[in-house]
Amino acid sequence: MPPVPPIRSAGRRPGLGAGRLWQTSTGRPPLRAASLSPDGRTMKSRFQVFFFEALFFLAAGALLLLLAEGSGAQPGSDFPAAGSPRPDDLPADAAIAPCQGVLRDLAFRTASALPVDPHIKTRSRAQEAVVEACLALDQPRRALRCIEKIEDWRRGAAYADLAFHCAGKGESGAVQPWLDLASRIADESGKDPNAQAWRRDRIRVKVARTHALLGQAREAEAFEAGVADSEAGKVDAVRVMQLDATGLDDRIRGLDGIVANGSFDRIQSALATYARLFDRFFADAERRARIEERVTASYKRLPALTRIESRMEMAAVALEHRDRAKALDLVEDGQRILEGGPWLPEQEVPLRARLAALRHRAGDPEGARREAGAARAMFEARREKIVDIYRAGALRPLAEAYQAMGDAEAARAVYGKALEEGALNPNSRPRAEDLSATCCSMATNGVDPGTALRARMLQLHEGLGPPW
Amino acid sequence: MSVNDSVWKALLAGAALAGAASPAWSQINVSSNISTSTTWTANNTYNLTQQIYVLPGATLTIQPGTVVASTPTVNGSGSLAVCRGAQIFVQGTQTSPVVMTSTNDTATWIGGDPHTGTWHLGANEWGNLTIMGEGYISENATAGNTAVPSASNVAAMEGLTAAFPGDPNVLYGGGDDDDDSGTITFLSLRYGGRVIGLANELNGLSLGGIGRGTDIHHVEIMNNVDDGIEIWGGTVNLKYISIWNIGDDSIDVDQGWRGKLDFGLIVQGYSLAAAQGSGVGDNGFEMDGAEQSDWQPVTTSTIYNCTFIGQPYGSAGGDHATAWRDNARVQFRNCIFMDVGDRVVSPDNVDGDGGLGYGFNGTLSWPATWTTPYTATSTVNPPANPGLFYTVQASGNLIELKDSVFYNNTSASAYTEANAQGVFAAGNNNVQEPALSPIASITREPAGIVFGSLVQARVTSLDPRPANSALTSVAWAPNDGFFSSAHYRGAFSPGSNWLFGWTASHAYGLTNTADEWTDLGSALAGTYGDPVLSGSGTLLAGAPTTLALSNAKESAGSFWVFGTSRIDAPIFGGILVPNFLTGGIVALATDPAGALAVNFNWPPGVPSGTSFYIQFWTVDPVAPQFVSASNAISLTTP
């Protein structure tokens, strides 16, 4: 035990004449002088000392009790387990087809098969993707079971996504405990001296987004404070969906000003907001036209990929509003941008497939099949140019497109090819990532793999192991 | 982790005994690419016999204490490259670092122990470590690349030879700034730079398009013929970087790097008896914005707490501390720039690769970049999502040198450009120190020798911890989840030397300062942010010892918690680090300035190697549960 020395000079600024001291200044203006007793403590502070000493020992006792009960950190993890909140606090899971459940579970088992050492980052990312699939299937309780097996910062991000899902379902009473857990993990993740700030910020923005959705503006701002502008833009996209008509008019005027002043940074922040406003104002022809005009104007500065993504997002909005003609216009526009290239094949195949899926929904089934076929042919023609670990990722959107077209047989065939392409690499890490992602894709798109494909998927899962 | 000299010596003795009792490590010749995931273990040494690629999908894991020692040959020795889609995990620790070096180096080790050895004049004795990722880059030499950032923009890595046109194994770049190429910790790279079959030399560590999902901290480059670390694009962040005796630029950045650097040491010198740029140091930080200056992304980064030590012979000794080209935007804060050969700030503007410099095609001019807020990303060829591209800078202007100390920079033009850009305006809190060194001590070779056209005096002993004007900065480095909230200038706190135990500089006796005190973090903010606990003293019997708490709530009850082990228990919304059941709790109080100092003489009889953990908890109404916590520190007796 180190000695308990007397306080020699509590009143002086540390570091002056004290040898190798660090942190020699508080950086604050001097405070009022206080009369010090010979040992450097005021009578008031003596009282505080004894009062708070008692408090501290009480707290220490409480701590011992907590430790004795085994609560606190989860073994094998630096992050807290779900404490007081329980799965029963969550909305019930939606019913899904049995095959979807099988795929969902296989996806998570596959992700969790990745060894923590050294692949904790990849493992957690893959697990988080399954959580997202669970939420897409409206299965928050199943999502929670997955979340609690994530062993790094992504558990916090997933808790926040769970809270956002609940809030979106109107289950505001179920939200706060998950936000608290997410916030706690964000704080913890920032305390590692070798931490990466973006991970903490990503959780905080997801927390802020949920507060914004619940109309808790002050809390949203608090969690959003200090994070990167890009992340903050995600919160804005939520905020605008809650504006009333008057507020929307004000927002459009504000966005008009942003576009007019030419600050590209702010134009980009506004882009996500425009997309949401397009949705919010879809039924209002005059306002929708204004929004489209602004979006189109900002495209002059955007690269092709973003323009296509934006067109696809707006087309999806149009479809939600049952305006197939408008959706098809947007798809055609995206297609024109795509044809302008250049693209790597692993980029072009999925973009072409996604446009085909939208084209089908927009009322051009023949064109959709033609484009899907073109994407499939392109994959075959340029397959050798694609590194094996990227091939399944190129094929999955094509399978999803066939499924959207109602061609389950073609979808299964492409999924089957994706499975085989994803199994080519001699290492289990990329194979597990691909298998898990393919399972998620099939589950969320309602694809029944059938007996043969299911057996092959299980076989691929069983084949995972060293070398990872 | 903290290790003291006695423990170290005991370890060395143990290693020597082990070496005497058992046969030498097995040598594994690595002669083919790594297509299936592989683990290299500490009971072997690995000799790279040619350029080795870790192929897409594969993972190379290197366990603590593993030595990769390649044999120099006439035709060039081996090198290691990690392809896009592959990963590398270098799992070194402070006591068991991973060393990549040549057999010329290992021949000087005592009993095969990497913590020993002797510095020698040399580089080019093996290749390097190259990592290629899928982050965005701005490279204009590859056909099809576009000025506006695109996921299809790629480039062939310098020093690697494509097996066929379009060979993906030598390409870096892509569209995933979160890309994860693995984790590198406590890695010492020594005597490298030799290239196989090409004319250009290799950097010590080449990072092409590396995403922020990659974790890199505690990396050392000792004696490399070309740059120390070169970064092309991407978003990778670096922490605790030591670069010594580099033959070109110590840190070279290009093609739109958008990452952070915290705690970096650069000690310029020479690695070969050769010319500047190919064995003798060039610039400290060479910052290129983009390959062509109006392309994007453009280099935009923030650097805190770096120590740059050049050659003290004016422009006869070396080049610039910071060289700027093609729209680079970098903020330097809380740094030390000393013994700079030529200019502290040099607006080189273009780099001879066709780049057209600041102001080209409507981009910001050089002076305007110094006065433009960080929020103004370029409007020329912008990315779709500049907010996502440019997340590093969080305050101030696009280029800054702030809150730093400048010492013994004797070139006639040392400060010309810095003055022109207002570096020494009062609000920047910079100090031109006329007399007192900002570091604890430095010893060089007795007389300068001439290599090429430059006079050189290699550093032979360094205590890099701060002194005088560097002891305290005006502003704190932000506690933003990456940067550590340091309140001093330069790469080292007064009580800690993070080079200890794992670096060549320690093994060669160049930086022997023990690391008795270690900052463990885990502060919980109160009224004035994080209370800061520091410690000083040699921990030798009778030596003056001080614990100093600052930045806490004024005139408040404060509890000194200590123990001989740590508990890391969540309490009051923070983390209680010391296990007080093995020590105790002492009630004290802060003074009206929110400080508290505990001074005593270290008692005799404390066994060597004994560790203590200390933290202060202070009553504070602003803290989440009305109690703030300082960072914890550990100390280990020598």
Side-chain angles (χ1 to χ4, degrees):
Chain A
M1 189 170 109
V4 182
I7 298 178
R8 287 185 181 170
S9 53
R12 71 174 175 81
R13 295 169 70 84
L16 302 179
R20 296 196 318 240
L21 271 180
W22 24 314
Q23 318 300 1
T24 57
S25 169
T26 63
R28 302 195 304 271
L31 300 169
R32 64 180 175 79
S35 60
L36 300 176
S37 61
D39 67 354
R41 285 184 272 175
T42 64
M43 292 305 290
K44 182 182 176 185
S45 68
R46 281 176 186 277
F47 172 76
Q48 287 175 326
V49 163
F50 293 116
F51 177 73
F52 290 114
E53 184 179 29
L55 281 182
F56 194 89
F57 276 106
L58 283 173
L63 171 64
L64 286 173
L65 281 175
L66 284 173
L67 292 173
E69 291 171 2
S71 62
Q74 177 177 311
S77 170
D78 293 334
F79 296 109
S84 53
R86 298 167 303 164
D88 290 350
D89 297 334
L90 290 166
D93 287 350
I96 57 175
C99 67
Q100 289 176 294
V102 169
L103 290 164
R104 174 204 62 199
D105 293 346
L106 181 59
F108 195 73
R109 287 209 314 275
T110 301
S112 301
L114 282 152
V116 170
D117 181 16
H119 291 300
I120 185 169
K121 290 188 287 185
T122 303
R123 180 182 196 260
S124 300
R125 187 170 60 245
Q127 290 174 318
E128 187 186 21
V130 182
V131 171
E132 290 168 0
C134 291
L135 295 177
L137 292 167
D138 194 17
Q139 296 204 303
R141 295 185 183 185
R142 176 65 64 164
L144 178 62
R145 289 170 60 179
C146 298
I147 289 169
E148 291 181 337
K149 291 185 170 60
I150 300 176
E151 295 191 33
D152 74 359
W153 66 275
R154 288 185 189 274
R155 188 194 297 174
Y159 276 135
D161 282 341
L162 177 66
F164 187 74
H165 177 86
C166 294
K169 292 285 180 183
E171 299 280 350
S172 56
V175 166
Q176 193 57 48
W178 314 111
L179 291 181
D180 290 344
L181 284 169
S183 173
R184 186 170 158 192
I185 290 172
D187 292 344
E188 285 304 306
S189 69
K191 287 181 177 174
D192 179 346
N194 299 307
Q196 302 258 6
W198 65 274
R199 294 168 178 151
R200 181 195 64 179
D201 285 357
R202 191 155 294 180
I203 301 172
R204 291 177 65 84
V205 165
K206 285 173 181 274
V207 173
R209 185 181 62 153
T210 306
H211 281 302
L213 186 61
L214 294 172
Q216 298 166 345
R218 199 170 66 177
E219 289 85 349
E221 286 174 11
F223 277 97
E224 194 181 11
V227 304
D229 289 348
S230 59
E231 305 290 331
K234 296 170 186 171
V235 184
D236 273 343
V238 174
R239 286 193 181 104
V240 299
M241 292 304 288
Q242 300 180 323
L243 295 177
D244 58 21
T246 306
L248 283 170
D249 283 340
D250 289 343
R251 180 56 70 104
I252 287 176
R253 279 193 292 273
L255 292 173
D256 283 348
I258 290 171
V259 172
N261 77 15
S263 165
F264 189 79
D265 192 24
R266 298 192 62 196
I267 289 174
Q268 295 312 304
S269 297
L271 191 62
T273 307
Y274 276 135
R276 300 275 55 86
L277 291 178
F278 184 73
D279 183 6
R280 189 87 164 106
F281 265 117
F282 196 85
D284 184 329
E286 185 269 332
R287 289 191 174 101
R288 191 181 76 184
R290 284 174 59 195
I291 293 164
E292 283 192 82
E293 180 189 349
R294 293 295 172 261
V295 172
T296 304
S298 69
Y299 278 5
K300 294 173 185 170
R301 295 175 174 178
L302 301 182
L305 178 61
T306 301
R307 280 181 280 153
I308 295 173
E309 293 281 1
S310 177
R311 276 334 202 199
M312 289 196 291
E313 184 176 358
M314 292 172 72
V317 169
L319 287 169
E320 287 169 12
H321 290 272
R322 302 176 189 278
D323 189 340
R324 299 172 93 186
K326 181 66 189 172
L328 191 56
D329 283 348
L330 291 162
V331 169
E332 294 288 8
D333 201 14
Q335 194 82 40
R336 280 191 290 274
I337 301 168
L338 178 71
E339 304 303 341
W343 304 98
L344 298 173
E346 59 263 41
Q347 298 166 339
E348 183 168 355
V349 169
L351 279 174
R352 199 170 285 280
R354 291 167 62 198
L355 281 167
L358 283 168
R359 182 180 292 278
H360 177 86
R361 292 175 60 197
D364 181 13
E366 292 302 316
R369 289 203 69 82
R370 184 183 63 245
E371 287 303 319
R376 199 168 181 174
M378 174 177 291
F379 178 86
E380 295 298 345
R382 303 182 68 182
R383 175 180 176 276
E384 293 303 319
K385 299 281 187 187
I386 306 174
V387 176
D388 57 16
I389 62 172
Y390 302 129
R391 290 176 190 161
L395 286 171
R396 278 190 293 272
L398 181 57
E400 291 166 1
Y402 278 121
Q403 180 70 8
M405 294 176 204
D407 189 343
E409 187 177 344
R412 268 195 297 272
V414 177
Y415 273 125
K417 187 167 185 59
L419 286 169
E420 297 306 328
E421 295 286 4
L424 289 179
N425 195 275
N427 301 289
S428 288
R429 173 179 62 87
R431 295 207 311 268
E433 288 183 270
D434 267 331
L435 178 57
S436 184
T438 300
C439 289
C440 284
S441 172
M442 296 176 83
T444 54
N445 286 278
V447 176
D448 185 346
T451 306
L453 206 53
R454 186 182 304 181
R456 178 61 176 147
M457 295 168 88
L458 290 171
Q459 186 184 29
L460 292 174
H461 174 79
E462 294 301 319
L464 296 174
W468 285 97
Chain B
M1 188 179 298
S2 177
V3 176
N4 60 75
D5 275 328
S6 294
V7 171
W8 207 254
K9 287 168 184 168
L11 286 171
L12 296 184
L17 285 173
S22 59
W25 296 322
S26 300
Q27 177 171 297
I28 307 291
N29 289 327
V30 183
S31 56
S32 58
N33 292 337
I34 297 171
S35 58
T36 57
S37 297
T38 301
T39 298
W40 290 353
T41 55
N43 59 339
N44 299 313
T45 59
Y46 295 84
N47 175 30
L48 308 175
T49 63
Q50 61 177 14
Q51 176 66 60
I52 303 297
Y53 291 93
V54 184
L55 295 174
T59 299
L60 174 61
T61 302
I62 307 179
Q63 291 186 343
T66 302
V67 176
V68 182
S70 301
T71 305
T73 66
V74 174
N75 296 322
S77 60
S79 194
L80 184 62
V82 181
C83 299
R84 290 187 303 166
Q87 290 189 316
I88 184 169
F89 292 88
V90 177
Q91 300 178 322
T93 67
Q94 186 179 18
T95 52
S96 297
V98 170
V99 180
M100 296 186 183
T101 187
S102 77
T103 51
N104 289 354
D105 179 34
T106 57
T108 72
W109 297 2
I110 300 170
D113 188 335
H115 308 103
T116 65
T118 305
W119 182 88
H120 70 268
L121 183 65
N124 256 344
E125 296 174 359
W126 69 291
N128 82 334
L129 175 59
T130 292
I131 309 176
M132 293 164 280
E134 299 183 48
Y136 282 94
I137 63 169
S138 52
E139 196 265 3
N140 69 343
T142 301
N145 281 357
T146 59
V148 173
S150 169
S152 61
N153 285 356
V154 294
M157 174 56 74
E158 176 181 293
L160 299 182
T161 305
F164 53 87
D167 180 1
N169 291 342
V170 302
L171 297 180
Y172 65 92
D176 183 7
D177 277 340
D178 288 348
D179 190 31
D180 175 11
S181 296
T183 300
I184 295 176
T185 62
F186 293 99
L187 169 64
S188 177
L189 295 151
R190 310 173 185 179
Y191 301 106
R194 167 167 259 165
V195 73
I196 304 158
L198 288 178
N200 48 348
E201 299 155 336
L202 293 174
N203 311 297
L205 176 61
S206 293
L207 302 171
I210 304 300
R212 60 172 72 87
T214 308
D215 295 86
I216 299 179
H217 63 84
H218 292 92
V219 173
E220 175 198 47
I221 320 290
M222 172 66 76
N223 275 43
N224 197 80
V225 71
D226 200 40
D227 300 332
I229 297 177
E230 182 153 4
I231 308 172
W232 294 272
T235 52
V236 65
N237 301 311
L238 306 171
K239 202 163 185 175
Y240 298 109
I241 303 298
S242 176
I243 300 175
W244 286 63
N245 299 331
I246 293 307
D248 197 353
D249 306 314
S250 295
I251 293 180
D252 191 348
V253 171
D254 205 347
Q255 298 179 11
W257 174 51
R258 291 144 295 132
K260 304 175 185 178
L261 169 60
D262 198 16
F263 301 123
L265 171 67
I266 292 174
V267 181
Q268 282 198 315
Y270 54 85
S271 57
L272 293 174
Q276 182 182 10
S278 189
V280 179
D282 199 352
N283 296 311
F285 296 90
E286 186 169 289
M287 298 294 181
D288 283 69
E291 201 77 71
Q292 177 53 280
S293 51
D294 63 338
W295 283 41
Q296 289 208 44
V298 65
T299 293
T300 305
S301 62
T302 300
I303 294 174
Y304 268 94
N305 288 97
C306 282
T307 297
F308 170 84
I309 301 172
Q311 289 288 328
Y313 297 101
S315 56
D319 226 330
H320 316 299
T322 65
W324 303 79
R325 300 166 171 175
D326 292 332
N327 279 325
R329 300 153 170 212
V330 182
Q331 300 168 325
F332 289 89
R333 295 168 177 164
N334 295 16
C335 295
I336 295 172
F337 296 98
M338 60 180 284
D339 296 345
V340 176
D342 204 338
R343 300 172 194 159
V344 167
V345 175
S346 179
D348 290 8
N349 200 30
V350 296
D351 60 4
D353 65 356
L356 293 168
Y358 287 86
F360 172 67
N361 190 28
T363 59
L364 286 175
S365 69
W366 165 247
T369 312
W370 285 83
T371 57
T372 300
Y374 79 100
T375 50
T377 55
S378 178
T379 58
V380 181
N381 295 318
N385 48 352
L388 275 173
F389 267 71
Y390 301 111
T391 59
V392 171
Q393 296 184 344
S395 63
N397 291 334
L398 291 167
I399 297 181
E400 287 184 347
L401 266 74
K402 280 191 168 180
D403 215 344
S404 298
V405 58
F406 300 80
Y407 172 72
N408 198 34
N409 304 318
T410 58
S411 168
S413 60
Y415 298 117
T416 305
E417 187 64 27
N419 284 324
Q421 303 307 332
V423 167
F424 295 101
N428 287 336
N429 298 317
N430 287 314
V431 176
Q432 282 189 47
E433 172 55 53
L436 300 174
S437 173
I439 61 172
S441 70
I442 183 170
T443 306
R444 295 177 179 273
E445 292 172 321
I449 59 175
V450 177
F451 282 141
S453 60
L454 294 181
V455 182
Q456 299 284 291
R458 188 173 57 86
V459 173
T460 56
S461 179
L462 179 70
D463 182 346
R465 293 177 296 181
N468 303 304
S469 301
L471 278 168
T472 307
S473 57
V474 174
W476 292 72
N479 182 19
D480 73 341
F482 175 75
F483 290 117
S484 294
S485 56
H487 196 204
Y488 47 85
R489 293 167 173 143
F492 298 86
S493 69
S496 179
N497 172 16
W498 49 262
L499 300 172
F500 191 83
W502 63 278
T503 58
S505 63
H506 173 251
Y508 301 157
L510 306 177
T511 54
N512 254 340
T513 314
D515 188 18
E516 297 99 345
W517 300 84
T518 302
D519 183 355
L520 302 175
S522 293
L524 176 64
T527 301
Y528 304 104
D530 290 345
V532 176
L533 175 62
S534 63
S536 65
T538 62
L539 308 184
L540 299 172
T545 307
T546 298
L547 300 173
L549 176 70
S550 61
N551 217 44
K553 175 68 177 169
E554 67 273 16
S555 303
S558 187
F559 299 91
W560 172 20
V561 188
F562 59 92
T564 56
S565 64
R566 54 191 296 175
I567 189 170
D568 293 321
I571 183 172
F572 296 137
I575 299 294
L576 176 68
V577 174
N579 182 355
F580 58 89
L581 299 176
T582 62
I585 302 172
V586 178
L588 302 169
T590 61
D591 70 8
L596 189 162
V598 179
N599 299 301
F600 57 96
N601 293 328
W602 190 254
V606 181
S608 175
T610 305
S611 292
F612 296 96
Y613 300 84
I614 302 170
Q615 193 175 27
F616 278 76
W617 290 71
T618 304
V619 177
D620 191 321
V622 174
Q625 296 182 36
F626 309 109
V627 187
S628 67
S630 74
N631 56 301
I633 58 176
S634 70
L635 55 96
T636 304
T637 54

